[in-house]
């Protein structure tokens, strides 16, 4: 794995935040190993400050909602990690979580779309949801080019994912 990092990743802005961030969006309970593996691989290439994954990135005492939504807005890319239970996850009343406007997975993706952040689905033993399966607010996710992460090919799939993001972010002019 290369130790070279694009100049834009991890460079500090006046407020102390990295100027380019990679946001990892995932559903707890739906193949969470994938988000952790992706986080580890991205942090190794770009440094932890440039990669946002809520359990590692939100500091004690921070406002959760503000931290999440601000991190999405500051990001260059949001990785929507989609496993086999992502689409079918339900709330305690049996309603699809994605159809609830308060669902964090939905809110993060919607914020990315509104902020002009590139959204890349990363499929873990799952297929990309079709437009009619998604709430209208995030239905455009179904038309985004995706990457796959399969447990049998994890090292190669992770390397490709990191290389794709590295190439996409590129150096700062």
């Amino acid at each position: 794995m290369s130790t070279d990092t694009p100049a834009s990743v991890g460079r500090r802005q006046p407020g102390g935040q990295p100027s380019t961030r990679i946001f990892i969006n995932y559903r707890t309970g739906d193949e969470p190993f994938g988000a952790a593996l992706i986080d580890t691989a991205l942090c190794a290439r770009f440094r932890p400050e440039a990669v946002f994954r809520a359990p590692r990135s939100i500091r004690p005492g921070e406002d959760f909602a503000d931290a999440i939504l601000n991190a999405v807005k500051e990001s260059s890319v949001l990785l929507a990690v989609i496993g086999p239970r992502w689409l079918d996850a339900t709330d305690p009343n049996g309603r699809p979580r994605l159809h609830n406007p308060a669902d964090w997975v939905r809110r993060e993706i919607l914020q990315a779309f509104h902020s002009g952040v590139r959204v890349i689905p990363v499929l873990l033993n799952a297929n990309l949801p079709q437009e009619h399966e998604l709430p209208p607010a995030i239905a455009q996710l179904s038309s985004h080019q995706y990457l796959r992460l399969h447990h049998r090919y994890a090292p190669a799939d992770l390397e490709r994912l990191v290389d794709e993001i590295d190439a996409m972010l590129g150096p700062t002019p």
Side-chain angles (χ1 to χ4, degrees), residues 109 113 129-144:
I109 293 169
F113 288 150
Q130 295 179 11
E131 184 177 0
H132 73 272
E133 297 175 299
L134 296 167
I138 62 168
Q140 66 180 314
L141 180 67
S142 68
S143 66
H144 286 230

Side-chain angles (χ1 to χ4, degrees), residues 52-72:
F52 186 95
R53 187 171 66 96
R56 181 183 52 74
S57 302
I58 299 176
R59 308 286 305 169
E62 280 187 81
D63 181 278
F64 180 83
D66 286 346
I68 292 277
L69 297 176
N70 287 332
V72 172

Side-chain angles (χ1 to χ4, degrees), residues 122-163:
V122 179
L123 307 179
L124 308 175
N125 304 316
N127 291 317
L128 186 65
Q130 295 179 11
E131 184 177 0
H132 73 272
E133 297 175 299
L134 296 167
I138 62 168
Q140 66 180 314
L141 180 67
S142 68
S143 66
H144 286 230
Q145 184 60 30
Y146 59 85
L147 294 168
R148 285 194 185 275
L149 175 59
H150 191 278
H151 70 278
R152 286 189 181 183
Y153 313 109
D157 288 350
L158 282 168
E159 185 172 353
R160 177 175 181 219
L161 183 145
V162 173
D163 288 347

Side-chain angles (χ1 to χ4, degrees), residues 103-133:
D103 177 56
W104 277 105
V105 167
R106 173 188 169 137
R107 288 179 71 183
E108 293 164 8
I109 293 169
L110 189 58
Q111 182 64 60
F113 288 150
H114 287 324
S115 300
V117 174
R118 182 184 298 238
V119 177
I120 302 172
V122 179
L123 307 179
L124 308 175
N125 304 316
N127 291 317
L128 186 65
Q130 295 179 11
E131 184 177 0
H132 73 272
E133 297 175 299

